[in-house]
Amino acid sequence: MEGERRASRARSSDLPVGGAGGESPGGGVPLPGCRGSSAPLQADVLELDEDEDDLEVFSKDASLMDINSFSPMMPTSPLSMINQIKFEDEPDLKDLFITVDEPESHVTTIETFITYRIITKTSRGEFDSSEFEVRRRYQDFLWLKGKLEEAHPTLIIPPLPEKFIVKGMVERFNDDFIETRRKALHKFLNRIADHPTLTFNEDFKVFLTAQAWELSSHKKTGPGLLSRIGQTVRAVASSLRGVKNRPEDFMEMNNFIEMFSQKINLIDKISQRIYKEEREYFEEMKEYGPIHVLWSASEEDLVDTLKGVASCIDKCCKATEKRMCGLSETLLPVVHEYVLYSEMLMDVMKRRDQIQAELDSKVEALTYKKADTDLCLATWESFLTSQTDLHLEEDSEDKL
């Protein structure tokens, strides 16, 4: 009976019951090293509806997505769990589509840089047209990120790929590096477009629609150098002064983020080191196969043995290369994205502390002003009282 109930639930949610061959739900893509292991995972997924009490942590305005949105596969990004939540008033139709493609190198007498074509298609009424095409360089993306943080200091802004790369890992203008950055920039813009608040930011709209000269002109309309220096000084002063009465919830949150950041950074470094050692092992092992083949030509009695060793080495090379592809495409980007998000969370907590420090400072200044005002009023009332008493005494003496 239990098997029939599970089969019925699987049919109602378009999930395969058996999961033979390690296929993911609805995807038809076999999971490496997971043959025959998807059935228990799917059973756990299908039994989620029996534990409805565990879902009370979500707000009343949010509900979990349909069961077919869950997959036993590894999450592809830190937003994978966030994407499981769907708000009731959220529109189902997407009205903003962004594509980042066609990287192009520019060489000047001063610098060399890469620009990317950004194509935007939209049906929103606040846009003057339904399609836009502009070119942006990495510095423009940094400007957009800074403007979003300035306008929404307590929101988690999607992370950008780092401007500088690890020395010795890849060339700066290597095709693989440029393609990796293009994908990251594409993901960055689309995450902003899918955000319920950031997508309507005016600077984001200018970034998508303005030509290069218009964007340069728009950048100059912001706060001047002295204003930015003043903001930086106030931020440093607030950070040095610190927060006097940080709420306990934020204390726990900050401690958790710091601990998580340390651990995920350690995992990222270990993963990078494992990949580097795997690559060195692969490069060295590739040379052994041809050596054994050449060796077999001079050893008639060991021909079959040496060729067998060469064949085994070739199979090991292919298996190692496949494992390296899995690391570079599945593990390393996801782990490093968690690192970037942990840094973003720490920045959000710092900005939140800065806002509270400014509030505490203003409340303290207001308290002092109120105390001074009360003292002035008390002094004035005392003076009026003494003057009144003096007049009364003078009147009584005149009457006598």
Side-chain angles (χ1 to χ4, degrees), residues 13 64 74 102 104 183 224 233 236 264:
S13 59
L64 289 177
M74 185 179 184
E102 292 190 9
E104 184 178 304
K183 292 179 180 178
V233 171
V236 173
I264 199 65

Side-chain angles (χ1 to χ4, degrees), residues 350-399:
K350 289 179 180 178
R351 292 196 294 269
R352 185 260 162 207
D353 288 346
Q354 178 184 342
I355 293 173
Q356 183 178 348
E358 292 178 357
L359 176 63
D360 292 342
S361 176
K362 292 178 179 179
V363 169
E364 185 177 359
L366 183 62
T367 302
Y368 287 143
K369 288 183 179 180
K370 186 176 184 300
D372 292 341
T373 303
D374 293 341
L375 180 61
C376 291
L377 290 175
T379 304
W380 178 248
E381 289 177 357
S382 176
F383 173 75
L384 292 178
T385 303
S386 62
Q387 291 295 320
T388 303
D389 294 341
L390 181 60
H391 287 304
L392 291 176
E393 290 178 1
E394 291 178 352
D395 292 341
S396 60
E397 290 178 355
D398 294 339
K399 290 179 179 179

Side-chain angles (χ1 to χ4, degrees), residues 76-234:
T76 57
S77 74
L79 290 178
S80 57
M81 287 305 298
I82 299 177
N83 291 335
Q84 302 296 338
I85 306 173
K86 181 178 180 182
F87 294 94
E88 295 178 357
D89 57 349
E90 180 183 354
D92 294 329
L93 298 178
K94 186 174 180 179
D95 55 4
L96 187 62
F97 300 88
I98 304 173
T99 304
V100 180
D101 59 10
E102 292 190 9
E104 184 178 304
S105 178
H106 299 264
V107 181
T108 66
T109 56
I110 301 177
E111 60 179 343
T112 301
F113 58 92
I114 305 294
T115 62
Y116 301 86
R117 185 179 71 166
I118 301 175
I119 298 177
T120 305
K121 297 181 180 180
T122 181
S123 59
R124 293 183 182 177
E126 60 266 26
F127 287 83
D128 298 332
S129 177
S130 61
E131 185 170 347
F132 300 88
E133 179 178 329
V134 296
R135 297 200 72 87
R136 297 285 182 260
R137 57 183 298 183
Y138 182 79
Q139 290 182 356
D140 299 327
F141 287 87
L142 283 177
W143 170 83
L144 173 62
K145 179 173 174 289
K147 297 299 288 185
L148 292 176
E149 290 176 350
E150 180 183 332
H152 310 282
T154 57
L155 292 183
I156 301 174
I157 311 299
L160 269 175
E162 297 94 336
K163 183 175 183 179
F164 301 103
I165 55 177
V166 180
K167 185 177 180 181
M169 292 295 291
V170 67
E171 299 276 337
R172 181 184 176 189
F173 294 118
N174 180 278
D175 291 340
D176 293 337
F177 170 72
I178 294 175
E179 177 62 17
T180 301
R181 171 168 284 186
R182 183 200 65 79
K183 292 179 180 178
L185 296 177
H186 175 86
K187 185 182 295 185
F188 170 74
L189 292 182
N190 278 276
R191 282 174 172 171
I192 296 176
D194 293 338
H195 196 281
T197 301
L198 301 178
T199 186
F200 297 107
N201 182 273
E202 185 64 25
D203 292 308
F204 181 51
K205 176 186 173 184
V206 172
F207 178 88
L208 296 177
T209 61
Q211 295 303 315
W213 65 270
E214 294 176 320
L215 182 62
S216 300
S217 177
H218 181 75
K219 289 180 180 179
K220 296 177 182 178
T221 60
L225 177 61
L226 295 178
S227 177
R228 292 197 297 270
I229 293 176
Q231 293 176 0
T232 304
V233 171
R234 287 194 296 271

Side-chain angles (χ1 to χ4, degrees), residues 242-275:
V243 180
K244 296 181 179 179
N245 299 313
R246 179 187 290 168
E248 184 177 350
D249 291 343
F250 286 101
M251 288 285 293
E252 295 178 359
M253 192 182 303
N254 192 68
N255 294 336
F256 175 82
I257 293 173
E258 289 181 354
M259 183 182 301
F260 175 79
S261 179
Q262 294 175 0
K263 292 183 178 180
I264 199 65
N265 272 279
L266 180 61
I267 293 174
D268 183 52
K269 292 179 181 178
I270 294 174
S271 302
Q272 294 286 350
R273 187 174 63 190
I274 290 175
Y275 178 77

